[in-house]
Amino acid sequence: MAYELQKKFIIDTQDKSVGVSLPFTKGNNGFFAVTYTTKEQIKSDLKNLILTNRGERVMQPEFGCNLRQAIFEQIDEGGVYEFIQNEIETSIQRWLPFVIVNNIVVDSDANSKDNNRISVKLDYTLSFAGNNSRDSLNITV
């Protein structure tokens, strides 16, 4: 479990779970797979935020990104890529303010364009309780 020690450091212990890992899979204990570190859980939370469309989450209609709006748009270097970057940055600032976005790379190769897929690489820094930790996340939309 992640807990705060003297309001300075986040301590992760491997004997307590922090949260549920996404996407849902069966865990070793017979229920859902869980995360054991704050860093793992935040990566799972980011994936959940990015892949959830606004209006999908019960009681939180503003949660998520509207990336499904880009599904059938013309994939070009400008409009769709910029839209995806803006949606992700805006959602992260609102829902996960302790995640600082360093860089978002939106890209698709010729084969991905034919299949209407776009790759998103998110480089970010976790900034909470005096700790700064860099990580990255790759998602295909």
Side-chain angles (χ1 to χ4, degrees):
M1 174 178 198
Y3 57 92
E4 198 166 345
L5 180 63
Q6 297 177 353
K7 301 195 181 285
K8 292 183 181 180
F9 303 102
I10 296 293
I11 307 296
D12 291 321
T13 59
Q14 293 297 318
D15 59 341
K16 304 268 187 206
S17 63
V18 175
V20 178
S21 180
L22 294 173
F24 291 126
T25 56
K26 185 177 180 186
N28 295 333
N29 60 1
F31 301 106
F32 297 118
V34 295
T35 57
Y36 288 96
T37 65
T38 307
K39 191 173 180 178
E40 281 179 310
Q41 186 59 45
I42 291 171
K43 186 176 271 195
S44 183
D45 291 346
L46 274 168
K47 193 182 305 182
N48 183 31
L49 177 66
I50 292 169
L51 295 177
T52 300
N53 204 39
R54 282 197 195 103
E56 275 186 323
R57 186 149 178 203
V58 177
M59 306 298 288
Q60 292 287 345
E62 294 299 314
F63 181 83
C65 297
N66 276 337
L67 298 187
R68 289 193 188 135
Q69 286 182 346
I71 288 177
F72 295 107
E73 294 295 323
Q74 182 69 31
I75 297 176
D76 57 3
E77 300 292 325
V80 172
Y81 289 8
E82 188 175 313
F83 171 78
I84 290 171
Q85 288 175 338
N86 288 337
E87 281 292 312
I88 291 171
E89 284 179 4
T90 303
S91 293
I92 289 172
Q93 286 173 358
R94 178 171 182 190
W95 295 100
L96 301 171
F98 50 86
V99 175
I100 299 167
V101 176
N102 299 323
N103 192 24
I104 298 176
V105 177
V106 181
D107 192 19
S108 62
D109 57 23
N111 188 33
S112 295
K113 284 182 184 178
D114 291 340
N115 294 318
N116 290 327
R117 292 184 185 156
I118 294 176
S119 298
V120 176
K121 181 176 183 188
L122 173 65
D123 291 319
Y124 60 92
T125 302
L126 303 177
S127 179
F128 55 91
N131 294 331
N132 289 324
S133 174
R134 289 187 71 124
D135 204 355
S136 65
L137 174 66
N138 294 312
I139 295 179
T140 300
V141 181

